[in-house]
Amino acid sequence: MSRIALLSSCFPDRLIPAAQALRAAGFELVCGSSSGTTLARAGIEVLPIEFFAKERALLGGRYACASSAVLGGIGGRRDVARELQELASQKVRVIDVVMIELPTAASALGLEEGDREGAAQCITRSGFIADAAALEAAVLNAGAVVPLTSADRAIAWIRLAGHGSIDEMALRVLAEEAWLHLQAFRDFVAWALALPTPDDVAGRSARSPAEP
């Protein structure tokens, strides 16, 4: 059975070379509607995200949402037999590579810098929150799953993997990059939705109760 890569980007056109390279390496591709449409127009075969549409609790209730099958396919621990057995019994395929590029500035959404309202609307109406959850699941299961945050990173990983040059340290670096990318996205979401960032909360906690 071929391996599966989940792809999504706030710049869908950037996915094309990475998708071509992944297909050439034998991967099946799974995409959301926007990214999937872009790749299909480029003649690249993709599985729709609905392929994973199973709204049920998985892995002992660790994932219980509309995206539970996607998250379970990413987060299922490959060295825990009961988790693999549960995924197999629910006909959920494991996902081996997660390449997700999230917006970290208004310009990534085609908006002018400082357009907080436009950014908030794009974020709340898009699948970026679900994408972030998928990337986080990949980071937490790094080693079994490869977390990538750009098409360039994906192409470089494919080349290195083809030469057997990927080791534990390289995967750790990819996981750290993905985690930093997630933090930048969350800071952007906090700004767009006028929410306090972790730094804001930490700053307030450091002040005495008498301080404003």
Side-chain angles (χ1 to χ4, degrees), residues 1 6 20 35 53-54 85 104 118-119 138 140 144 170 193 196 198:
M1 185 177 292
L6 173 68
Q20 291 170 331
S35 296
K54 294 179 176 63
Q85 290 167 359
T104 57
L140 295 176
L193 302 181

PDB file of all heavy atoms in Angstrom, residues 1 6 20 35 53-54 85 104 118-119 138 140 144 170 193 196 198:
ATOM      1  N   MET A   1       0.853  -1.196   0.000  1.00  0.00           N
ATOM      2  CA  MET A   1       0.000   0.000   0.000  1.00  0.00           C
ATOM      3  C   MET A   1       0.885   1.242   0.000  1.00  0.00           C
ATOM      4  O   MET A   1       1.858   1.320   0.749  1.00  0.00           O
ATOM      5  CB  MET A   1      -0.920   0.009   1.226  1.00  0.00           C
ATOM      6  CG  MET A   1      -1.926   1.147   1.248  1.00  0.00           C
ATOM      7  SD  MET A   1      -3.044   1.048   2.675  1.00  0.00           S
ATOM      8  CE  MET A   1      -3.969  -0.428   2.259  1.00  0.00           C
ATOM      9  N   LEU A   6      -0.340  14.502   3.305  1.00  0.00           N
ATOM     10  CA  LEU A   6      -1.377  15.524   3.431  1.00  0.00           C
ATOM     11  C   LEU A   6      -0.765  16.870   3.090  1.00  0.00           C
ATOM     12  O   LEU A   6       0.241  17.271   3.689  1.00  0.00           O
ATOM     13  CB  LEU A   6      -1.933  15.539   4.855  1.00  0.00           C
ATOM     14  CG  LEU A   6      -2.913  16.667   5.200  1.00  0.00           C
ATOM     15  CD1 LEU A   6      -4.220  16.486   4.444  1.00  0.00           C
ATOM     16  CD2 LEU A   6      -3.175  16.716   6.698  1.00  0.00           C
ATOM     17  N   GLN A  20       4.265  17.188  -7.193  1.00  0.00           N
ATOM     18  CA  GLN A  20       4.841  16.390  -8.292  1.00  0.00           C
ATOM     19  C   GLN A  20       5.953  15.494  -7.780  1.00  0.00           C
ATOM     20  O   GLN A  20       6.044  14.317  -8.161  1.00  0.00           O
ATOM     21  CB  GLN A  20       5.344  17.317  -9.391  1.00  0.00           C
ATOM     22  CG  GLN A  20       4.234  18.042 -10.146  1.00  0.00           C
ATOM     23  CD  GLN A  20       4.756  19.137 -11.057  1.00  0.00           C
ATOM     24  OE1 GLN A  20       5.807  19.742 -10.805  1.00  0.00           O
ATOM     25  NE2 GLN A  20       4.029  19.405 -12.136  1.00  0.00           N
ATOM     26  N   SER A  35      -6.543  23.638  -2.025  1.00  0.00           N
ATOM     27  CA  SER A  35      -5.270  23.091  -2.498  1.00  0.00           C
ATOM     28  C   SER A  35      -5.504  21.970  -3.499  1.00  0.00           C
ATOM     29  O   SER A  35      -4.795  21.844  -4.500  1.00  0.00           O
ATOM     30  CB  SER A  35      -4.446  22.577  -1.316  1.00  0.00           C
ATOM     31  OG  SER A  35      -4.090  23.633  -0.453  1.00  0.00           O
ATOM     32  N   ALA A  53     -13.260  11.319   5.830  1.00  0.00           N
ATOM     33  CA  ALA A  53     -14.398  11.865   6.580  1.00  0.00           C
ATOM     34  C   ALA A  53     -15.053  10.794   7.452  1.00  0.00           C
ATOM     35  O   ALA A  53     -15.877  10.013   6.994  1.00  0.00           O
ATOM     36  CB  ALA A  53     -15.424  12.461   5.621  1.00  0.00           C
ATOM     37  N   LYS A  54     -14.654  10.758   8.702  1.00  0.00           N
ATOM     38  CA  LYS A  54     -15.250   9.851   9.682  1.00  0.00           C
ATOM     39  C   LYS A  54     -15.366  10.627  10.987  1.00  0.00           C
ATOM     40  O   LYS A  54     -14.382  10.829  11.689  1.00  0.00           O
ATOM     41  CB  LYS A  54     -14.401   8.592   9.871  1.00  0.00           C
ATOM     42  CG  LYS A  54     -14.340   7.693   8.644  1.00  0.00           C
ATOM     43  CD  LYS A  54     -13.450   6.485   8.910  1.00  0.00           C
ATOM     44  CE  LYS A  54     -13.448   5.519   7.728  1.00  0.00           C
ATOM     45  NZ  LYS A  54     -12.887   6.111   6.513  1.00  0.00           N
ATOM     46  N   GLN A  85      -4.326  -1.057  15.305  1.00  0.00           N
ATOM     47  CA  GLN A  85      -5.461  -1.960  15.114  1.00  0.00           C
ATOM     48  C   GLN A  85      -6.770  -1.184  15.068  1.00  0.00           C
ATOM     49  O   GLN A  85      -7.662  -1.489  14.267  1.00  0.00           O
ATOM     50  CB  GLN A  85      -5.499  -3.004  16.231  1.00  0.00           C
ATOM     51  CG  GLN A  85      -4.368  -4.023  16.141  1.00  0.00           C
ATOM     52  CD  GLN A  85      -4.230  -4.848  17.407  1.00  0.00           C
ATOM     53  OE1 GLN A  85      -4.960  -4.665  18.381  1.00  0.00           O
ATOM     54  NE2 GLN A  85      -3.265  -5.777  17.403  1.00  0.00           N
ATOM     55  N   THR A 104       1.106  33.551   8.259  1.00  0.00           N
ATOM     56  CA  THR A 104       1.652  34.180   9.460  1.00  0.00           C
ATOM     57  C   THR A 104       1.654  35.704   9.337  1.00  0.00           C
ATOM     58  O   THR A 104       2.209  36.397  10.182  1.00  0.00           O
ATOM     59  CB  THR A 104       3.089  33.690   9.725  1.00  0.00           C
ATOM     60  OG1 THR A 104       3.895  33.957   8.573  1.00  0.00           O
ATOM     61  CG2 THR A 104       3.096  32.189  10.008  1.00  0.00           C
ATOM     62  N   GLY A 118      -9.976  41.827   7.705  1.00  0.00           N
ATOM     63  CA  GLY A 118      -9.905  40.897   6.589  1.00  0.00           C
ATOM     64  C   GLY A 118      -9.235  39.593   6.983  1.00  0.00           C
ATOM     65  O   GLY A 118      -9.668  38.512   6.587  1.00  0.00           O
ATOM     66  N   ALA A 119      -8.178  39.696   7.779  1.00  0.00           N
ATOM     67  CA  ALA A 119      -7.479  38.496   8.235  1.00  0.00           C
ATOM     68  C   ALA A 119      -8.379  37.646   9.115  1.00  0.00           C
ATOM     69  O   ALA A 119      -8.417  36.419   8.990  1.00  0.00           O
ATOM     70  CB  ALA A 119      -6.212  38.886   8.993  1.00  0.00           C
ATOM     71  N   ALA A 138       1.285  16.151  13.703  1.00  0.00           N
ATOM     72  CA  ALA A 138       2.491  15.639  13.046  1.00  0.00           C
ATOM     73  C   ALA A 138       3.732  15.935  13.876  1.00  0.00           C
ATOM     74  O   ALA A 138       4.632  15.090  13.999  1.00  0.00           O
ATOM     75  CB  ALA A 138       2.627  16.248  11.652  1.00  0.00           C
ATOM     76  N   LEU A 140       3.874  16.312  17.132  1.00  0.00           N
ATOM     77  CA  LEU A 140       3.839  15.473  18.332  1.00  0.00           C
ATOM     78  C   LEU A 140       4.158  14.020  18.016  1.00  0.00           C
ATOM     79  O   LEU A 140       4.539  13.261  18.906  1.00  0.00           O
ATOM     80  CB  LEU A 140       2.468  15.586  19.009  1.00  0.00           C
ATOM     81  CG  LEU A 140       2.130  16.969  19.576  1.00  0.00           C
ATOM     82  CD1 LEU A 140       0.710  16.982  20.121  1.00  0.00           C
ATOM     83  CD2 LEU A 140       3.124  17.370  20.655  1.00  0.00           C
ATOM     84  N   ALA A 144       7.552   9.207  13.353  1.00  0.00           N
ATOM     85  CA  ALA A 144       6.637   8.354  12.593  1.00  0.00           C
ATOM     86  C   ALA A 144       6.062   9.130  11.414  1.00  0.00           C
ATOM     87  O   ALA A 144       5.774   8.574  10.359  1.00  0.00           O
ATOM     88  CB  ALA A 144       5.512   7.851  13.494  1.00  0.00           C
ATOM     89  N   ALA A 170      17.834  15.179  11.814  1.00  0.00           N
ATOM     90  CA  ALA A 170      17.177  15.936  10.748  1.00  0.00           C
ATOM     91  C   ALA A 170      15.682  16.020  10.992  1.00  0.00           C
ATOM     92  O   ALA A 170      15.067  17.078  10.798  1.00  0.00           O
ATOM     93  CB  ALA A 170      17.460  15.282   9.400  1.00  0.00           C
ATOM     94  N   LEU A 193      -7.756  38.204  15.590  1.00  0.00           N
ATOM     95  CA  LEU A 193      -8.985  38.092  16.375  1.00  0.00           C
ATOM     96  C   LEU A 193      -8.937  38.936  17.640  1.00  0.00           C
ATOM     97  O   LEU A 193      -9.829  38.829  18.487  1.00  0.00           O
ATOM     98  CB  LEU A 193      -9.243  36.624  16.734  1.00  0.00           C
ATOM     99  CG  LEU A 193      -9.353  35.659  15.544  1.00  0.00           C
ATOM    100  CD1 LEU A 193      -9.639  34.250  16.038  1.00  0.00           C
ATOM    101  CD2 LEU A 193     -10.441  36.109  14.575  1.00  0.00           C
ATOM    102  N   PRO A 196      -5.394  37.878  23.341  1.00  0.00           N
ATOM    103  CA  PRO A 196      -4.085  38.026  23.972  1.00  0.00           C
ATOM    104  C   PRO A 196      -3.144  36.915  23.524  1.00  0.00           C
ATOM    105  O   PRO A 196      -3.551  35.763  23.380  1.00  0.00           O
ATOM    106  CB  PRO A 196      -4.397  37.904  25.473  1.00  0.00           C
ATOM    107  CG  PRO A 196      -5.673  37.121  25.530  1.00  0.00           C
ATOM    108  CD  PRO A 196      -6.447  37.531  24.295  1.00  0.00           C
ATOM    109  N   PRO A 198       0.378  34.539  24.108  1.00  0.00           N
ATOM    110  CA  PRO A 198       1.038  34.000  25.305  1.00  0.00           C
ATOM    111  C   PRO A 198       1.967  34.999  25.959  1.00  0.00           C
ATOM    112  O   PRO A 198       2.074  35.055  27.183  1.00  0.00           O
ATOM    113  CB  PRO A 198       1.787  32.781  24.757  1.00  0.00           C
ATOM    114  CG  PRO A 198       0.975  32.343  23.576  1.00  0.00           C
ATOM    115  CD  PRO A 198       0.465  33.623  22.967  1.00  0.00           C
TER     116      PRO A 198
END
